[in-house]
Amino acid sequence: MVIHSQLKKIQGASERMGDTTRQRIKFSDDRVCKSHLLNCCPHDVLSGTRMDLGECLKVHDLALRADYEIASKEQDFFFELDAMDHLQSFIADCDRRTEVSKKRLAETQEEISAEVAAKAERVHELNEEIGKLLAKVEQLGAEGNVEESQKVMDEVEKARAKKREAEEVYRNSMPASSFQQQKLRVCEVCSAYLGLHDNDRRLADHFGGKLHLGFIEIREKLEELKRVVAEKQEKRNQERLKRREEREREEREKLRRSRSHSKNPKRSRSREHRRHRSRSMSRERKRRTRSKSREKRHRHRSRSSSRSRSRSHQRSRHSSRDRSRERSKRRSSKERFRDQDLASRDRDRSPRDRDRKDKKRSYESANGRSEDRRSSEEREAGEI
């Protein structure tokens, strides 16, 4: 009891460790069985049969398979290649065992002629056909399809009649003592031994058994994987070839352009010269338009400034002239008053003093006119 409880504890701990491992990994991890993700691992298919392989060394988890089925709709992971390699190695081992079994039978059984061997092979083929039909009848009966199972039973009766005829031909071709010996044959699908004189129940159990059907499933899945991998590889090769052709086309185009440039350097230079000249002409036009606009703005500013200057000069000149006129008027009025005053005084003075005073007045008037003229000229020169 103690040992049993300890074994249960160890088993529970290992299961918990396995659960934590499954929670940590994803379906793309290398520790996950890719054949299990594609539902074709031999460890699952042949479990519970005479050739049970035990537990797979890699992780099997239905949740990971569900995750892969969802993700594979959006992205191709190419797990078919890994599964195909796995199944190929397994089927290769099975085929090697089949060949070994055939050699062992050939060593232990009596040698017969090729004609008799062909007749015995015909009996084996009919046995295989009967066994497959009986397995199908059982499957249809389990599904409740009575009509189809009845039709298949009619085919079984026809195959049985052919088998009886083939056995009669085989019995007549060899001695009775040799015919009574059990002639064995190796099944090409699952490498199991089949007897030439097996009854229908034995044939149905073999061809409808889980071992034989499991090998059929594995072999069919392998052929399907080969087809899928071949299609995907062909598609990838076509895409790779298309990309290579595009690269080669681009390289040829570049080489052709470089050759055309090297063959016609003058033409390329003239093109470059024309481009450069057009660019320079456009720049020159832009520069001219800018300079013209600047000149227009400058002219406009100079004209406006000259107009304002001339107007101010005219105003100043008019004002100076008006001032000089006022001054001359004032002076003339003062001089008239002075002359009248002097004339009135001279009437009272002597003739000698009068002459002296006239000379002095004429001299002063002459000096005043010259000074006025000089001051007006200086004023005009300053304004200019």
Side-chain angles (χ1 to χ4, degrees), residues 34-56:
K34 303 304 183 291
S35 301
H36 171 72
L37 297 179
L38 294 169
N39 195 20
C40 61
C41 182
H43 294 268
D44 293 337
V45 176
L46 300 178
S47 63
T49 64
R50 182 173 56 84
M51 291 185 63
D52 193 343
L53 303 174
E55 189 176 356
C56 184

Side-chain angles (χ1 to χ4, degrees), residues 109-121 170 174 178 183:
Q109 291 183 351
E110 291 183 7
E111 292 187 4
I112 56 178
S113 64
E115 183 181 358
V116 176
K119 293 175 181 179
E121 186 65 25
Y170 174 68
M174 60 186 306
S178 299
K183 297 293 180 181

Side-chain angles (χ1 to χ4, degrees), residues 146-370:
V146 181
E147 294 181 0
E148 289 293 329
S149 64
Q150 189 63 39
K151 291 179 182 179
V152 176
M153 279 302 299
D154 294 339
E155 294 179 4
V156 170
E157 292 299 328
K158 293 178 183 179
R160 284 173 178 170
K162 291 179 182 179
K163 178 186 174 183
R164 285 193 292 271
E165 293 177 0
E167 286 178 344
E168 187 68 26
V169 172
Y170 174 68
R171 185 184 297 110
N172 295 331
S173 64
M174 60 186 306
S177 59
S178 299
F179 178 75
Q180 294 298 327
Q181 294 179 358
Q182 180 68 283
K183 297 293 180 181
L184 297 178
R185 177 175 175 263
V186 180
C187 180
E188 298 290 339
V189 176
C190 60
S191 69
Y193 289 105
L194 297 174
L196 184 66
H197 305 296
D198 287 341
N199 57 19
D200 294 345
R201 182 72 264 166
R202 170 77 176 83
L203 295 174
D205 290 342
H206 172 76
F207 290 105
K210 189 176 181 180
L211 178 64
H212 186 82
L213 295 177
F215 270 97
I216 291 175
E217 181 182 351
I218 292 171
R219 290 179 183 275
E220 289 178 352
K221 189 66 177 180
L222 178 59
E223 295 299 323
E224 181 184 353
L225 289 175
K226 286 180 179 179
R227 180 180 55 79
V228 171
V229 169
E231 290 176 356
K232 290 186 176 182
Q233 286 180 349
E234 182 66 23
K235 186 178 179 180
R236 293 178 69 179
N237 292 333
Q238 289 179 358
E239 291 177 355
R240 194 181 295 114
L241 182 61
K242 188 176 179 181
R243 288 195 297 268
R244 186 185 302 169
E245 289 177 354
E246 289 178 356
R247 285 196 300 269
E248 290 177 355
R249 194 183 303 114
E250 291 176 358
E251 290 176 358
R252 286 196 299 269
E253 187 67 22
K254 289 180 181 179
L255 184 61
R256 187 180 63 80
R257 289 176 183 173
S258 62
R259 285 178 180 174
S260 63
H261 285 303
S262 62
K263 286 180 180 179
N264 300 319
K266 293 182 179 179
R267 187 179 298 174
S268 60
R269 287 173 188 170
S270 62
R271 286 178 185 169
E272 291 293 329
H273 181 65
R274 284 197 297 271
R275 289 175 187 169
H276 180 69
R277 191 169 59 186
S278 62
R279 288 172 188 164
S280 61
M281 289 175 68
S282 62
R283 288 173 187 164
E284 186 66 23
R285 284 195 213 98
K286 290 180 182 178
R287 190 178 62 78
R288 285 178 184 173
T289 53
R290 289 197 202 99
S291 63
K292 285 180 181 179
S293 61
R294 287 199 202 99
E295 288 177 359
K296 286 181 181 179
R297 287 196 296 272
H298 184 66
R299 285 173 189 169
H300 180 69
R301 289 175 185 170
S302 62
R303 284 175 186 171
S304 61
S305 61
S306 63
R307 286 172 186 169
S308 62
R309 225 181 277 122
S310 63
R311 286 171 186 167
S312 63
H313 182 62
Q314 287 176 2
R315 289 195 197 101
S316 62
R317 195 170 8 177
H318 287 308
S319 62
S320 63
R321 284 178 183 174
D322 293 336
R323 283 196 295 273
S324 62
R325 285 174 187 170
E326 290 292 330
R327 286 172 187 165
S328 61
K329 285 180 181 179
R330 289 172 188 165
R331 284 173 185 168
S332 61
S333 62
K334 285 180 181 179
E335 285 175 357
R336 270 201 308 276
F337 290 140
R338 194 186 300 158
D339 290 339
Q340 289 177 4
D341 190 17
L342 288 174
S344 63
R345 286 180 183 176
D346 286 340
R347 288 192 201 102
D348 297 332
R349 290 179 184 175
S350 62
R352 189 176 178 180
D353 295 332
R354 203 178 299 154
D355 294 333
R356 195 183 300 150
K357 290 260 182 102
D358 290 334
K359 288 178 183 179
K360 188 178 180 181
R361 197 180 299 119
S362 62
Y363 178 75
E364 286 176 359
S365 63
N367 287 334
R369 288 191 194 116
S370 63

